[in-house]
Amino acid sequence: MMNIIISGHGAFSTGLLDALHMIFGTDESIVAVPFYKNEGIPQLQEKYLHVMEQFDPTDELLFLVDLFGGTPYNAATQLVYTREKTDVVTGVSLPLLLEAAAMKETLSLSHLCQALKEASTTSVQLFSETLALVQTNEMEDDLL
């Protein structure tokens, strides 16, 4: 089994979890850990450890955090050194979280991390490019 901890600055992680629940329903293996003003790495790690105590220590664990090099990232990476089958992915967004939730039961941690890295490149779309592609395809269809 794989567990996921979402974290980021402010209430970002709780908002993502709320959106996930709206779309997928509740999943007890995915937990949000917010990082608030006046907290530092020790306080955030304490919150991470509290959540981690609820999970089976033999399960895989993925941290999805907002920013590379930010406090949620730094706190998580320090814990990765002390726990096997754990990794950190930065740049969490709702599309990335949905991908992780959908694939966490079928992929290993390393494969899931690679899939999320690949998915992140397609999660940003420009309407103008999509519209131009549709219009081009319609023009091609008219020519046939």
Side-chain angles (χ1 to χ4, degrees), residues 48-67:
Y48 285 164
L49 289 169
H50 178 73
V51 169
M52 291 166 64
E53 288 173 359
Q54 301 169 32
F55 298 146
D56 183 332
T58 62
D59 287 347
E60 294 177 310
L61 175 62
L62 177 61
F63 286 91
L64 294 176
V65 300
D66 56 357
L67 297 171

Side-chain angles (χ1 to χ4, degrees), residues 125-136:
Q125 299 288 322
L126 299 178
F127 174 74
S128 58
E129 289 178 354
T130 304
L131 181 60
L133 182 61
V134 168
Q135 290 171 339
T136 300

Side-chain angles (χ1 to χ4, degrees), residues 12 16 25 40 81 97 104 110 124 128 136-137:
F12 178 67
L16 285 176
Y81 287 112
L97 178 57
K104 72 182 185 66
S110 61
V124 174
S128 58
T136 300
N137 288 339

Side-chain angles (χ1 to χ4, degrees), residues 17-86:
L17 186 62
D18 184 51
L20 175 73
H21 290 167
M22 286 179 67
I23 297 167
F24 272 13
T26 302
D27 184 338
E28 300 297 324
S29 67
I30 303 175
V31 177
V33 177
F35 168 60
Y36 295 117
K37 289 181 183 180
N38 302 319
E39 290 182 332
I41 289 176
Q43 292 82 13
L44 188 54
Q45 282 182 330
E46 187 175 315
K47 292 195 297 188
Y48 285 164
L49 289 169
H50 178 73
V51 169
M52 291 166 64
E53 288 173 359
Q54 301 169 32
F55 298 146
D56 183 332
T58 62
D59 287 347
E60 294 177 310
L61 175 62
L62 177 61
F63 286 91
L64 294 176
V65 300
D66 56 357
L67 297 171
F68 177 81
T71 301
Y73 171 83
N74 292 331
T77 58
Q78 290 178 16
L79 294 176
V80 169
Y81 287 112
T82 63
R83 189 176 191 278
E84 292 183 26
K85 300 187 290 183
T86 306

Side-chain angles (χ1 to χ4, degrees), residues 102-129:
M103 296 187 293
K104 72 182 185 66
E105 299 300 324
T106 59
L107 297 178
S108 68
L109 179 63
S110 61
H111 287 107
L112 178 60
C113 289
Q114 284 302 323
L116 293 176
K117 186 175 179 182
E118 292 171 19
S120 70
T121 64
T122 60
S123 67
V124 174
Q125 299 288 322
L126 299 178
F127 174 74
S128 58
E129 289 178 354

